[in-house]
Amino acid sequence: MMPVRQAIAQERRRTADLLESLTPSQLAVRSLCGDWTVREVAAHLLAAVEAPRGATVSAMVRSGFRLHRANALLAQSLGRLPVEEIAEGLRRNAENDFKPPLVGYPGQLTDLLVHGQDIRRPLGLPHRLPLDSLRIALDFLTTGRPVGFTRKSWLAGLLFAASDLDWTFGAGHLVAGPAEALMMAMTGRRTVLGELDGPGVQVLASRLE
């Protein structure tokens, strides 16, 4: 497999292992992803590669063909599965070669990295992400086609610099900090802004309100 696909497989397996270690109360905790619970975020990651076709079509129709709403409906539907089935589904699809349209494998990896931290952070279970994977995610968010992940208006006029990785992007007011925090902030997670430094942080914070 290509390195990005190896990273995808690794994150799916790690997420599966994490899920099986959580208690029912932990699975019900609200994640960093909107109103989704930890269980629903995990279900979303499974739905990306193994949603029943009928359920997908139904969710699209019920959502009025709004992608984000359809994803939420699928996550809620698959979230009713026993957590063991969600974990097993992620393992079964660890090396699934499905390539999402538009965002491709880099987008798929970014989805896993971001949502993995959406799960872990509220539970106080930090997980150090591989820097090579974070580089792929940061490049995708800034130079790829990150449809549904971030907005150009959030990043415009800012210089992003990773403190633990030889990586920068943009020009303007500085936003500096760990690569993981940059990734999470670029995808709208305000809770990580305290981990970042520079005059651009306030600018970014105002845009994420």
Side-chain angles (χ1 to χ4, degrees):
M1 290 189 296
M2 297 169 55
V4 65
R5 289 182 55 198
Q6 291 176 346
I8 288 168
Q10 182 180 57
E11 290 306 318
R12 285 186 181 137
R13 292 186 178 110
R14 284 177 174 169
T15 302
D17 290 344
L18 173 65
L19 288 176
E20 291 178 337
S21 74
L22 300 180
T23 65
S25 60
Q26 287 176 312
L27 290 165
V29 166
R30 181 174 174 176
S31 75
L32 296 186
C33 187
D35 294 327
W36 289 5
T37 65
V38 164
R39 180 191 289 269
E40 288 169 341
V41 172
H44 161 74
L45 293 176
L46 177 59
V49 285
E50 196 180 87
R53 181 172 177 80
T56 302
V57 172
S58 174
M60 289 298 293
V61 172
R62 290 164 57 203
S63 69
F65 295 92
R66 291 173 294 174
L67 182 59
H68 285 298
R69 178 58 181 157
N71 280 336
L73 291 172
L74 274 174
Q76 292 166 2
S77 176
L78 291 183
R80 289 190 282 271
L81 292 172
V83 70
E84 295 80 9
E85 290 188 27
I86 298 174
E88 177 54 32
L90 288 169
R91 285 200 189 91
R92 184 169 57 249
N93 287 280
E95 298 181 17
N96 189 315
D97 63 0
F98 169 67
K99 185 177 182 180
L102 296 179
V103 302
Y105 291 130
Q108 195 169 71
L109 175 60
T110 303
D111 200 46
L112 285 159
L113 296 176
V114 171
H115 285 317
Q117 298 306 82
D118 284 340
I119 290 172
R120 293 182 178 94
R121 282 174 169 261
L123 297 176
L125 300 172
H127 170 66
R128 186 176 294 277
L129 298 174
L131 290 177
D132 287 346
S133 295
L134 285 168
R135 183 188 297 278
I136 292 170
L138 291 174
D139 285 343
F140 165 72
L141 291 170
T142 54
T143 61
R145 301 184 67 184
V147 179
F149 286 83
T150 190
R151 302 175 187 174
K152 289 183 178 180
S153 60
W154 289 351
L155 312 185
L158 298 175
L159 170 61
F160 293 91
S163 58
D164 53 355
L165 190 63
D166 182 17
W167 184 91
T168 61
F169 171 81
H173 299 296
L174 178 66
V175 178
E180 179 195 315
L182 292 179
M183 176 188 71
M184 298 296 285
M186 287 178 181
T187 54
R189 276 64 176 176
R190 289 179 53 86
T191 188
V192 305
L193 293 176
E195 301 171 32
L196 301 173
D197 295 305
V201 175
Q202 283 299 110
V203 177
L204 181 58
S206 68
R207 294 174 179 177
L208 298 182
E209 291 179 349

